[in-house]
Amino acid sequence: MLKYTQHPKWIKKSEILRNVPLRFDTLCCDTVLPTEFVSEQLVSNEVFEIDIITEGGGICQIFGQSIPCRKGDIFIIPPDIPHNCYVNESADKLYISRVFLDINDWFSGDISDMGNQRFCYGVFCGGSVIAYATLNASAYESVMQTLGAISSEVAEKRQDWQEVVRAELSVLFITLKRYIEKAEHVPFETGKEWHYASVAVRMVMENFSDSELKLETLAESLYISKSQFSRLFKDFTGESFSEYLRRVRMNHACRLLRETDMSVEQIVKECGMRDVRSFYKNFQNYTGKTPSQYKENKKTFNIKGDKIMVLLSDISEKMQQGRGKVVAELVQAALDEGCAPEKILNEGLLSGMGIIGEKFRNNEIFVPEVLVAARAMNMGAQILKPYLAASDVTNIGKVCLGTVHGDLHDIGKNLVKMMMEGKGIEVIDLGTDVPAETFVKTAIEQNCDVICCSALLTTTMGVMADVVKAAEAAGIRDNVKIMIGGAPVTDDFCKQIGADAYTADAASAANLAYEYCKAK
Ligand code: B1M
């Protein structure tokens, strides 16, 4: 029997839209889907809403379409799309953490708007704030980076943007979680103070080249006393105003020395320093080198080999941070420097992915971070694709390739595909989570020369044995070669299950598949 209860009144549009680009709350829903009242039950917002199912299971109805949902599911609902969540008839509760994002606010780039809520992200329960995350300067920076990444995904809507937004959001929650404080411990009135400090940080970032920039002037423009300003600033950034300003200026000076041919005098002006003498003194204290020694280093850095090394390590680092666009640019820069694509793949992208795997194993990072890194890896690999897969030869033979059932890892498989296509082999990409029968059915229907299986989990390796058995059962075992690969797979395992070959990397997989196809 369907039960109908009133939709809880937790959406207050005016509140959502006031000054804050992002809010989240938690909702406990106990409404069973009322078939006859569906249209009246749907609600819509003027902001993006992201619903994360944290407990229970039920139905998410979007545009009148009922989608079953369970713990871990995330729904991204664009503005003005009518939607609602309901519990299953059998389940009694559905808990949803919800995020409201005012995209326009992000695009305006006006940080001060956000500051009105003292850099605070509220955790709401039943309409009231139960906790909030108050961010210090570096946490704020990292949240802004994540929000920036989300907003560009949302704006550009690339193929798997929803996946990436999900991953980025989880990163956001992990970051915020570290800063969550119970509401009673953080008096609401501190908001203004945090606002002052954040505005001051922004003013420093924007005006550090003004040699007249002083604590007094900033305090004055915020209508607070010098000592109050000084205290707030230190609380917020962890540094005194003068230390902070010096650091910002010296970082900028280092960058100019590294990346431009500006004279020291020009740099002194550009960094808002008083004169060359005090610049030298500060610079030496900060870097331990004179500006000319620092510039000398830049010259060594410009020697091609070193530059490539730096680029490769940047690729690895940015990939681990999940900065896909930057990775793509760095990969292009390394190619432009004449670095071999295989080197970029192995010493940049794959070396970064190795570190990610290590950190993941040690619980230093979690699935969302890995996912974001994986995407960055793919964006880098896309730039390499035409170089790795450069071949004029086509139609050497046909293979079907997939990651086995239960396994969603596809980066290695995609590399194998890239390399095989580069060898002129036609690749039927079956994607991930591929059942044994599908490999065999495709091989028969498409007349494939080779079946290629990839597995990254020890728990899914067994499916490869099923593929061999299924091929035998279908009577095609003598006509088709079976190749296997993936991090946990070994030559011994290959022999044990009766597959034809194991190869350790994508390039050798492509070479062997080429041989198999040619021999047919
Ligand atoms: Co997962 N993951 N992951 N993961 N992940 C591993 C594999 C893991 C080793 C991490 C760890 O614990 N250190 C671990 C497996 C442990 C085990 O089984 N022994 C693991 C786990 C546990 C999991 C989850 C269960 C985590 C969870 O949910 N709690 C989950 C499983 C999801 C599922 O599949 N059902 C999961 C999820 C994910 C993400 C989705 C977040 C993401 C995948 C994103 C994607 O692929 N689109 C991910 C990633 C990225 C990794 C790591 C970090 C990197 C894998 C990778 O892409 N490597 C990985 C740790 C690691 O390997 N360092 C890890 C780069 C890639 C180029 O290498 O795929 O080995 P690889 O391919 C190589 C060769 O093996 C070869 O060519 C490539 C190089 O040239 N090759 C073949 C591959 N296939 C071949 C086929 C061939 C021949 C060669 O012939 C046909």
Side-chain angles (χ1 to χ4, degrees):
M1 190 51 196
L2 296 176
K3 177 173 77 147
Y4 168 68
T5 52
Q6 195 57 48
H7 189 282
K9 295 206 177 350
W10 27 253
I11 301 180
K12 290 187 195 138
K13 280 187 203 165
S14 56
E15 233 187 80
I16 292 161
L17 293 172
R18 204 181 52 214
N19 297 328
V20 215
L22 180 150
R23 291 172 83 101
F24 60 100
D25 67 10
T26 303
L27 163 81
C28 171
C29 167
D30 58 1
T31 311
V32 175
L33 178 64
T35 29
E36 59 279 37
F37 296 113
V38 168
S39 55
E40 286 90 335
Q41 280 296 290
L42 299 179
V43 290
S44 67
N45 313 318
E46 290 155 36
V47 289
F48 257 84
E49 179 181 325
I50 289 135
D51 287 356
I52 300 146
I53 313 299
T54 49
E55 254 345 296
I59 290 150
C60 183
Q61 202 173 75
I62 301 178
F63 255 152
Q65 193 195 347
S66 296
I67 306 160
C69 62
R70 62 191 160 93
K71 185 172 169 176
D73 285 349
I74 303 184
F75 294 91
I76 300 171
I77 303 148
D80 288 320
I81 299 291
H83 62 280
N84 208 345
C85 281
Y86 303 92
V87 285
N88 280 332
E89 232 179 311
S90 51
D92 56 351
K93 290 235 172 4
L94 176 67
Y95 287 91
I96 310 158
S97 277
R98 303 176 330 140
V99 185
F100 298 102
L101 301 159
D102 181 353
I103 308 283
N104 296 330
D105 215 341
W106 305 347
F107 289 149
S108 79
D110 190 350
I111 301 170
S112 66
D113 271 359
M114 239 181 91
N116 288 343
Q117 296 287 321
R118 80 227 99 97
F119 283 58
C120 162
Y121 298 84
V123 181
F124 293 79
C125 185
S128 58
V129 181
I130 52 160
Y132 40 82
T134 317
L135 306 180
N136 61 22
S138 66
Y140 173 68
E141 211 173 284
S142 108
V143 165
M144 284 315 281
Q145 253 187 20
T146 312
L147 286 178
I150 295 175
S151 74
S152 83
E153 288 304 329
V154 170
E156 288 168 32
K157 289 201 172 62
R158 282 186 285 260
Q159 203 189 357
D160 51 351
W161 69 279
Q162 294 188 336
E163 271 299 303
V164 182
V165 169
R166 267 175 219 192
E168 293 279 7
L169 272 171
S170 312
V171 172
L172 185 71
F173 293 142
I174 291 167
T175 314
L176 288 177
K177 224 170 144 191
R178 294 191 189 122
Y179 298 94
I180 293 273
E181 297 190 49
K182 283 235 175 79
E184 60 264 27
H185 300 314
V186 188
F188 215 69
E189 291 68 42
T190 54
K192 237 179 176 179
E193 304 194 335
W194 281 83
H195 171 57
Y196 287 144
S198 58
V199 172
V201 167
R202 191 165 54 113
M203 283 163 110
V204 174
M205 297 301 292
E206 283 171 6
N207 301 298
F208 65 86
S209 40
D210 177 359
S211 59
E212 295 300 310
L213 183 71
K214 286 192 190 75
L215 188 143
E216 290 87 328
T217 17
L218 286 186
E220 209 173 289
S221 62
L222 291 170
Y223 303 105
I224 54 174
S225 73
K226 222 173 97 182
S227 57
Q228 197 186 4
F229 177 81
S230 164
R231 183 180 51 78
L232 286 178
F233 197 90
K234 180 134 196 201
D235 282 355
F236 187 69
T237 62
E239 280 171 298
S240 73
F241 176 78
S242 55
E243 278 166 359
Y244 184 80
L245 182 58
R246 188 166 41 244
R247 191 164 61 77
V248 169
R249 284 176 168 160
M250 288 305 124
N251 280 342
H252 190 60
C254 289
R255 201 170 62 76
L256 294 177
L257 279 166
R258 255 194 340 260
E259 294 173 11
T260 71
D261 286 322
M262 285 167 92
S263 68
V264 170
E265 286 73 15
Q266 286 170 317
I267 292 175
V268 166
K269 195 157 174 253
E270 188 65 27
C271 296
M273 300 297 290
R274 263 202 328 276
D275 49 46
V276 174
R277 222 174 123 211
S278 61
F279 171 70
Y280 263 83
K281 197 169 151 232
N282 277 310
F283 193 85
Q284 243 174 322
N285 281 344
Y286 187 70
T287 63
K289 292 191 179 84
T290 63
S292 43
Q293 282 168 338
Y294 195 88
K295 231 178 156 66
E296 270 310 300
N297 277 1
K298 177 198 149 192
K299 280 190 195 136
T300 357
F301 162 86
N302 260 342
I303 295 170
K304 224 167 197 167
D306 280 5
K307 187 159 187 186
I308 287 175
M309 291 293 281
V310 172
L311 280 169
L312 293 176
S313 104
D314 276 0
I315 290 171
S316 159
E317 195 183 309
K318 298 294 175 216
M319 198 221 69
Q320 292 169 53
Q321 293 166 2
R323 301 287 141 219
K325 267 190 194 160
V326 183
V327 170
E329 282 164 19
L330 288 168
V331 167
Q332 189 57 59
L335 286 168
D336 295 345
E337 282 298 319
C339 185
E342 293 78 11
K343 194 174 166 84
I344 302 176
L345 179 67
N346 291 324
E347 292 174 32
L349 296 171
L350 291 183
S351 114
M353 196 45 98
I355 299 173
I356 283 284
E358 201 52 36
K359 287 187 174 164
F360 184 57
R361 188 169 35 247
N362 297 333
N363 286 330
E364 288 168 48
I365 55 168
F366 302 95
V367 171
E369 282 109 318
V370 181
L371 198 55
V372 174
R375 182 185 155 88
M377 154 106 202
N378 275 332
M379 286 171 82
Q382 278 311 313
I383 304 291
L384 288 180
K385 188 174 176 180
Y387 299 86
L388 290 172
S391 167
D392 296 334
V393 200
T394 49
N395 290 332
I396 291 293
K398 207 190 257 188
V399 312
C400 58
L401 163 72
T403 309
V404 298
H405 181 54
D407 204 324
L408 302 174
H409 295 84
D410 67 356
I411 300 176
K413 174 203 62 102
N414 293 343
L415 284 176
V416 171
K417 178 182 176 191
M418 220 182 256
M419 298 288 196
M420 286 186 174
E421 286 179 341
K423 286 260 168 198
I425 299 170
E426 187 185 340
V427 179
I428 300 167
D429 187 351
L430 298 171
T432 57
D433 195 15
V434 183
E437 301 70 38
T438 309
F439 282 103
V440 174
K441 192 165 167 264
T442 311
I444 296 169
E445 285 172 5
Q446 302 280 337
N447 200 19
C448 294
D449 304 305
V450 190
I451 292 176
C452 293
C453 307
S454 178
L456 263 281
L457 299 170
T458 40
T459 48
T460 58
M461 282 164 65
V463 180
M464 292 173 160
D466 298 342
V467 174
V468 177
K469 283 184 207 142
E472 276 161 6
I476 61 161
R477 190 62 190 94
D478 293 337
N479 309 333
V480 69
K481 295 284 184 193
I482 300 179
M483 289 175 59
I484 60 172
V489 182
T490 60
D491 206 23
D492 278 353
F493 178 74
C494 174
K495 291 191 180 104
Q496 194 188 315
I497 65 169
D500 291 295
Y502 154 76
T503 46
D505 58 62
S508 29
N511 288 339
L512 188 61
Y514 179 85
E515 295 304 325
Y516 281 150
C517 292
K518 235 172 55 173
K520 277 206 129 191

